[in-house]
């Protein structure tokens, strides 16, 4: 078998890279180790911008529309951020991922499911496809094989700076308002946050990410958190666990090889969301791969265009996000109570509601500091946390 480009992993990011490489004129093989597309643990909350970026519009994958958030501090103070119109969607990953794969195939890519990349030798990719060993010759491999990327390992490329554990259930829950997600900060989820994302008026995805023991924290939250435990009706419909890579490695291209999506830790450190950022980077990877094949130059130097372009698109936002994430991870419950109380001012909430952007959080931070210089006092809380 021979292809210009092989994309390993048919998650949303792999499918998008395959679509763009195909559109650029390359012959593309997309492989997925599972027998079905869409196996990833995920809350499925994506911004309206992210859905646009994925180029599939509204469809059966939309489970709910979200216009804002209730944010709860450890002492139970709640603030409401109301975007007043749909700002995000909750998607069904199985249907969503499958649609993206379908778009890749429509663009010309070949797709093999239950096909696992098992090794890379002398420029050839070994695949076990439905029990059969295959050797594929290719000019470029795009590793879109997720957080535990084997392609990254084979190429000797670096890993994410940090990996968080995430756990989640779907369960019966007395949803406060179906148009709002709930976010819980503080020791309920050390190092990150917890959430309840409504699917219907009585069902939510309830979960958290943490630097350690996420499952213990989830069990504790469901049993004894003053807000969650009262609304959760002790009936889970599923359980999912996964990992979130934060902080992209220094390099993600090698000779004839690129990493993209979770495999390259292209994930927002403030929310753990990787669909928007991954899709955006995948398009660049696909375009660069096709152009490099056309030019007959698939060297690391040629493929560095991908690194340059994705970093100029979102590299700065991810590094500011990482700084915010690190600072937030060090706040105590008392610090969090102070921060939430400070934000409990109608003018401040208005600015957050107007300019809050889950894909580009640095924008609202800048707006807030310009409009309310007294918020700089909060930087004292962050500075103490970082000491
Ligand atoms: C608990 C949790 C909640 C999350 N919630 C959100 C959210 O609300 N919004 C959001 O934007 N993001 C969320 N994320 C992150 C999001 O799920 C990922 O960023 C996204 O799935 C990354 O897409 P990807 O295609 O890079 O990787 P993946 O979706 O992980 O896809 C990689 C694919 O590669 C396949 N694969 C791996 N190895 C091989 C191999 N050797 N051969 C063939 N195939 C292989 C895998 O089977 C998989 O299908 C969440 C993550 C977790 C853990």
């Amino acid at each position: 078998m021979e292809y210009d480009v092989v994309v390993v992993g048919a998650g949303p990011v792999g499918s998008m890279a395959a679509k763009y490489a195909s559109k650029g004129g390359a012959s593309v093989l997309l492989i997925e180790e599972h027998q079905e597309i869409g196996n990833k643990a995920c809350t499925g909350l994506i911004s309206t911008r992210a859905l646009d970026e994925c180029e599939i519009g509204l469809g059966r994958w939309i489970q709910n529309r979200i216009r804002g958030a209730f944010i709860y501090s450890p002492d139970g103070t709640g603030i409401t951020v109301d975007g007043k119109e749909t700002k995000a969607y909750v998607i069904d990953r199985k249907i969503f991922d499958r649609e993206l794969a379908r778009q890749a195939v429509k663009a010309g890519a070949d797709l093999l499911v239950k096909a696992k990349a098992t090794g890379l030798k002398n420029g050839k990719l070994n695949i076990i496809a439905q029990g059969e060993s295959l050797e594929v010759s290719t000019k470029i491999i795009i590793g879109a094989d997720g957080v535990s990327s084997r392609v990254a390992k084979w190429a000797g490329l670096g890993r994410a700076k940090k990996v968080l554990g995430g756990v989640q259930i779907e369960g019966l829950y007395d949803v406060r308002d179906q148009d709002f997600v709930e976010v819980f900060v503080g020791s309920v989820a050390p190092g990150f946050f917890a959430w309840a994302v409504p699917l219907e008026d009585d069902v939510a995805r309830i979960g958290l990410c943490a630097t350690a023991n996420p499952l213990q924290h989830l069990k504790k939250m469901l049993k004894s958190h003053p807000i969650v435990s009262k609304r959760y009706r002790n009936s889970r419909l599923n359980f999912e666990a996964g990992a979130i890579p934060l902080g992209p490695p220094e390099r993600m291209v090698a000779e004839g090889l690129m990493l993209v999506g979770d495999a390259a830790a292209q994930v927002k450190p403030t929310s753990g969301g990787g669909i928007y950022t991954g899709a955006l980077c995948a398009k660049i990877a696909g375009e660069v791969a096709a152009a490099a094949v056309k030019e007959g130059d698939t060297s690391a130097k040629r493929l560095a265009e991908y690194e340059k372009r994705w970093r100029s698109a979102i590299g700065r936002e991810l590094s500011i996000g990482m700084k915010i994430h690190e600072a937030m991870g060090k706040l105590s419950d008392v610090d969090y109570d102070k921060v939430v109380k400070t934000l409990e001012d109608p003018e401040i909430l208005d600015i957050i509601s107007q300019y809050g952007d889950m894909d580009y959080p640095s924008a609202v931070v800048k707006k807030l500091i310009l409009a309310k210089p007294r918020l700089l006092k909060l930087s004292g809380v962050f500075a103490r946390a970082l000491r």
Side-chain angles (χ1 to χ4, degrees):
M1 278 172 117
E2 208 174 313
Y3 284 90
D4 292 332
V5 178
V6 177
V7 181
V8 180
V13 175
S15 291
M16 189 58 86
K19 173 175 158 182
Y20 269 71
S22 300
K23 275 173 62 167
S27 64
V28 178
L29 174 66
L30 171 63
I31 61 166
E32 168 54 48
E33 67 177 325
H34 291 101
Q35 62 191 22
E36 268 190 285
I37 308 273
N39 299 285
K40 171 86 187 185
C42 186
T43 313
L45 184 70
I46 60 169
S47 65
T48 50
R49 180 194 291 111
L51 188 70
D52 290 346
E53 193 68 37
C54 291
E55 302 171 346
I56 56 170
L58 300 170
R60 287 177 307 116
W61 41 91
I62 305 293
Q63 294 180 293
N64 193 17
R65 288 157 200 258
I66 299 296
R67 68 169 222 244
F70 302 124
I71 302 169
Y72 296 98
S73 65
D75 69 3
T77 306
I79 54 171
T80 304
V81 177
D82 185 352
K84 307 234 164 51
E85 59 186 28
T86 299
K87 292 285 176 186
Y89 299 102
V90 187
I91 52 164
D92 180 323
R93 277 294 298 270
K94 219 175 200 44
I95 307 178
F96 179 81
D97 285 21
R98 193 187 281 229
E99 178 60 23
L100 289 175
R102 197 170 78 96
Q103 296 296 329
V105 172
K106 272 175 81 176
D110 288 343
L111 168 64
L112 275 182
V113 290
K114 206 162 172 48
K116 178 176 181 169
T118 53
L120 180 61
K121 261 191 216 130
N122 308 325
K124 293 205 162 106
L125 192 67
N126 299 313
I127 299 174
I128 300 199
Q130 286 145 33
E132 192 189 341
S133 286
L134 304 173
E135 208 177 58
V136 184
S137 298
T138 181
K139 294 169 187 143
I140 297 182
I141 293 171
I142 298 183
D145 49 343
V147 57
S148 315
S149 174
R150 273 165 279 207
V151 173
K153 210 178 288 164
W154 298 330
L157 293 171
R159 315 296 290 194
K161 305 231 158 57
K162 185 174 186 180
V163 178
L164 300 175
V167 284
Q168 174 178 274
I169 60 150
E170 222 169 275
L172 292 185
Y173 187 76
D174 295 326
V175 168
R176 182 171 154 192
D177 185 323
Q178 203 183 321
D179 298 346
F180 288 77
V181 298
E182 294 178 29
V183 175
F184 306 92
V185 294
S187 56
V188 60
F192 214 63
F193 59 82
W195 61 83
V197 170
L199 296 175
E200 297 165 41
D201 61 1
D202 61 352
V203 180
R205 293 195 179 121
I206 310 161
L208 56 83
C209 274
T211 34
N213 303 322
L215 184 54
Q216 263 96 312
H217 289 294
L218 179 65
K219 283 183 184 160
K220 191 170 161 203
M221 173 169 92
L222 294 174
K223 202 168 160 214
S224 56
H225 186 277
I227 296 164
V228 178
S229 66
K230 291 204 177 75
R231 305 236 205 104
Y232 169 57
R233 287 195 249 135
N234 205 23
S235 47
R236 56 194 70 172
L237 304 168
N238 79 353
F239 169 78
E240 292 182 331
I244 297 190
L246 302 182
E250 296 304 314
R251 275 191 324 122
M252 50 198 67
V253 300
E255 294 298 305
L257 189 142
M258 297 184 245
L259 301 178
V260 69
D262 275 17
Q266 288 158 333
V267 174
K268 291 171 284 177
T270 41
S271 68
I275 295 175
Y276 169 66
T277 43
L280 190 152
C281 296
K283 290 180 179 178
I284 302 172
E287 274 172 15
V288 171
V293 166
K294 231 178 238 166
E295 290 159 25
D297 178 3
T298 58
S299 64
K301 197 166 160 216
R302 173 65 187 88
L303 301 183
E305 180 195 331
Y306 156 62
E307 281 243 29
K308 210 165 146 200
R309 281 176 56 189
W310 87 255
R311 284 192 200 275
S312 100
I314 51 152
R316 196 174 130 73
E317 188 65 36
L318 294 194
S319 61
I320 295 174
M322 195 67 177
K323 285 189 186 125
I324 300 175
H325 161 78
E326 295 289 359
M328 289 178 67
K330 288 178 181 155
L331 298 184
S332 67
D333 279 358
V334 174
D335 290 333
Y336 263 122
D337 292 339
K338 263 189 218 155
V339 172
V340 173
K341 284 224 163 59
T342 312
L343 300 179
E344 213 187 1
D345 159 334
E347 268 183 72
I348 292 178
L349 287 174
D350 221 43
I351 296 173
I352 301 177
S353 298
Q354 210 179 331
Y355 299 101
D357 185 328
M358 57 194 270
D359 299 320
Y360 295 92
S362 69
V364 74
V365 173
K366 271 185 227 148
K367 279 269 178 228
L368 280 171
I369 289 172
L370 280 177
K372 295 268 168 188
R374 75 183 166 84
L375 282 180
L376 276 173
K377 267 202 272 169
L378 273 185
S379 60
V381 173
F382 284 99
R384 255 197 333 280
L386 283 172
R387 268 208 294 268

